[in-house]
Amino acid sequence: MERLDVGDARIAYTDEGQGDPVLLLHGSFSADWFTPVGRRLAARHRVLKVHRAGYGRSEDLAGGASVAAHARHAVRVLEAAGVRRAHLVGHSSGAAVALQLALRRPDMAGTLVLLDAAFPYAPDEPGNPAMPRAVEVAAEGDYERAFDVFLGGVSGPGFREVFVRELGEEGLRQAVAGSRYFFTTEGPALRSWDFGPEQAAAVTAPVLLAVGGEGERLGTAYRARGAQLASWLPDSETRVLRGVSHASPLEDPASVAAAVEEFAARRRR
């Protein structure tokens, strides 16, 4: 694993495989959401998998990295690796980082694949109680229960088994441990991100908005948030990933990897 000091953070990342570069930007709680997907993509691509500040082996030295800071860290990783342009893949809050990177450094963004983008909020989204209730529980200091409340609400009751199947017991333990950072530090920083129609209109790279098909059954907001982004972005398309929820990179890594490869091959510039 490579390590990079970027001033306000120490960033760890892996760099594997050969071919068209792909940058993986994980969601909250775990730095390993994309580990199974990255393993598959590395058979035909050069895959850079970043541990975002505050997660995994990376350190948040600023005490609350903003979306802009996460995007800047990712740019530094690409520069350190000698990558001038990559396909950007972001899951949940990592999708916001991918959008911010594409906005500020359009020269580095080949395509974007955004899986269940967590931000920005949509005015017509369903009122899923998972996050508000999880925040309440976290405020009581029970971060493990907050982790269960949120992920159970957006991914269904079997999400712990999915973590263990793909990442092992240690992978689940690390995700639970990451809940403290999310609820106390990253969540507030993410909610302050300023991204609306004006910023979206400046994202010139082709974007695939991939949403988990099980989200509608679970009453999650990701379909509505994706639809709002689709209405703002100048070049986007939407794909529903059947049979998966917000945990799609672990539930069906083969399908996620295939969606990334197909879109990158079809829309590369």
Side-chain angles (χ1 to χ4, degrees), residues 20-23 85-90 98 101-102 106 108-114 203-208 235 259-269:
D20 224 7
V22 176
L23 177 68
R85 192 174 181 86
H87 302 290
L88 311 180
V89 184
L101 195 164
M108 284 189 154
T111 63
L112 281 76
V113 176
L114 309 181
V203 175
T204 56
V207 180
L208 175 64
D235 185 2
V260 170
E261 288 192 309
E262 187 277 332
F263 189 71
R266 180 163 53 85
R267 299 303 308 275
R268 68 161 54 92
R269 291 179 177 179

Side-chain angles (χ1 to χ4, degrees), residues 44-186:
R44 287 179 291 275
H45 296 268
R46 183 181 180 186
V47 177
L48 294 100
K49 184 169 70 69
V50 174
H51 286 199
R52 293 196 293 109
Y55 292 107
R57 298 186 182 181
S58 290
E59 299 175 69
D60 176 5
L61 303 179
S66 65
V67 172
H70 285 298
R72 178 169 47 81
H73 301 162
V75 167
R76 291 288 301 276
V77 166
L78 291 175
E79 290 175 338
V83 175
R84 299 178 62 184
R85 192 174 181 86
H87 302 290
L88 311 180
V89 184
H91 170 233
S92 192
S93 54
V97 180
L99 282 167
Q100 184 70 23
L101 195 164
L103 174 65
R104 295 305 178 197
R105 291 296 305 269
D107 57 307
M108 284 189 154
T111 63
L112 281 76
V113 176
L114 309 181
L115 301 161
D116 268 6
F119 301 95
Y121 300 131
D124 60 342
E125 66 184 49
N128 187 294
M131 181 57 82
R133 178 57 182 148
V135 170
E136 290 177 4
V137 173
E140 299 168 1
D142 192 343
Y143 298 108
E144 181 165 3
R145 188 158 67 91
F147 171 83
D148 285 338
V149 168
F150 175 65
L151 282 176
V154 299
S155 302
F159 76 93
R160 277 182 171 249
E161 288 77 8
V162 170
F163 266 89
V164 172
R165 184 189 73 209
E166 295 296 330
L167 303 177
E169 293 284 355
E170 179 61 17
L172 174 61
R173 189 198 67 75
Q174 290 184 10
V176 171
S179 63
R180 177 186 289 270
Y181 179 78
F182 172 74
F183 287 111
T184 63
T185 307
E186 185 183 38

Side-chain angles (χ1 to χ4, degrees), residues 171-262:
L172 174 61
R173 189 198 67 75
Q174 290 184 10
V176 171
S179 63
R180 177 186 289 270
Y181 179 78
F182 172 74
F183 287 111
T184 63
T185 307
E186 185 183 38
L190 289 169
R191 287 191 288 273
S192 67
W193 182 46
D194 182 20
F195 190 90
E198 182 179 352
Q199 290 83 1
V203 175
T204 56
V207 180
L208 175 64
L209 297 157
V211 293
E214 289 295 289
E216 291 191 52
R217 180 180 64 80
L218 294 166
T220 64
Y222 303 111
R223 185 74 177 267
R225 293 175 191 177
Q228 177 166 262
L229 281 170
S231 73
W232 293 347
L233 291 162
D235 185 2
S236 71
E237 56 189 80
T238 299
R239 181 178 305 176
V240 177
L241 302 179
R242 302 294 178 189
V244 296
S245 70
H246 193 58
S248 61
L250 296 180
E251 289 172 321
D252 193 349
S255 291
V256 170
V260 170
E261 288 192 309
E262 187 277 332

Side-chain angles (χ1 to χ4, degrees), residues 1 14 16 24-27 30-42 47 49-51 91 163 166-168 171 174 249-250 253 257:
M1 179 162 277
T14 58
E16 300 176 309
L24 301 176
L25 297 163
H26 65 82
S30 173
D32 289 318
W33 279 108
F34 276 129
T35 295
V37 173
R39 192 179 302 124
R40 288 163 171 79
L41 290 173
V47 177
K49 184 169 70 69
V50 174
H51 286 199
H91 170 233
F163 266 89
E166 295 296 330
L167 303 177
Q174 290 184 10
L250 296 180

